[in-house]
Amino acid sequence: GAVRDLLLAIESRAIDEDILVMAADNILDFSFKGFLEYFKEKRTSLIMCHKEPSLEKLRRTGVVELDAEMKVISMQEKPAEPVSHWAVPPFYIYSASDLPLIRHALEDGCGYDAPGNLARYLCGRTTMHAWEMPGRRYDVGTLDSYEEVKSIFG
């Protein structure tokens, strides 16, 4: 799963610095520049989020609860009853100071498959902030979603 893959990369490459993690099965219409600048400003691990009005879609993704300063209060992975309309796409920056938590996540009960499991695990153990996605992302992780995106872009 995605969390095990990340742990393998951290351990095999002896990574000890901030890391950007993103799912490769997405097409974006925006730059990550603002995301990186916000991370430098906050100096905490960071997730991306966007408003999602569809309850059906919220039930199939990560959902985050935020305070007025965009600090993460809680996170759910594929919730039956979402705590907010803030959906979390698979884009994260993890601070080097949180790497020890990541290294122990699996043995401490973190789910190993969906990348949102790690973000959910961390938000209960460290300070995290969220950055609102300024554009759109298109998931191309299944043949159906790929065909849908192809029809949008021609």
Side-chain angles (χ1 to χ4, degrees):
V3 177
R4 284 187 185 172
D5 292 344
L6 178 60
L7 289 169
L8 176 64
I10 290 169
E11 293 301 322
S12 67
R13 297 293 181 192
I15 295 171
D16 64 354
E17 58 192 4
D18 305 330
I19 55 176
L20 171 66
V21 177
M22 57 185 285
D25 59 354
N26 289 272
I27 297 173
L28 311 174
D29 70 357
F30 61 93
S31 166
F32 270 47
K33 183 178 179 183
F35 192 44
L36 297 169
E37 289 171 352
Y38 192 66
F39 172 74
K40 289 176 185 174
E41 174 189 329
K42 292 297 184 183
R43 296 306 308 162
T44 67
S45 288
L46 188 62
I47 60 174
M48 201 175 288
C49 65
H50 64 90
K51 284 286 193 176
E52 176 53 64
S54 167
L55 186 58
E56 179 183 326
K57 288 182 181 179
L58 287 167
R59 289 179 173 153
R60 295 189 321 250
T61 191
V63 176
V64 69
E65 180 182 17
L66 305 170
D67 72 10
E69 278 77 49
M70 299 296 280
K71 182 179 171 185
V72 176
I73 297 169
S74 68
M75 183 172 169
Q76 304 167 296
E77 184 63 24
K78 299 178 181 172
E81 298 298 325
V83 294
S84 77
H85 282 276
W86 286 111
V88 180
F91 310 127
Y92 316 93
I93 302 176
Y94 293 123
S95 171
S97 62
D98 288 335
L99 291 180
L101 291 171
I102 294 171
R103 286 186 178 98
H104 297 288
L106 288 178
E107 64 195 43
D108 202 23
C110 175
Y112 61 86
D113 191 24
N117 286 326
L118 183 58
R120 187 190 69 220
Y121 170 84
L122 288 175
C123 78
R125 290 162 176 79
T126 189
T127 301
M128 293 184 75
H129 284 87
W131 182 74
E132 186 172 359
M133 192 170 75
R136 295 200 51 198
R137 81 171 176 104
Y138 303 90
D139 181 350
V140 292
T142 67
L143 184 55
D144 288 341
S145 63
Y146 171 74
E147 292 296 334
E148 183 179 332
V149 170
K150 260 181 42 176
S151 72
I152 293 170
F153 291 103

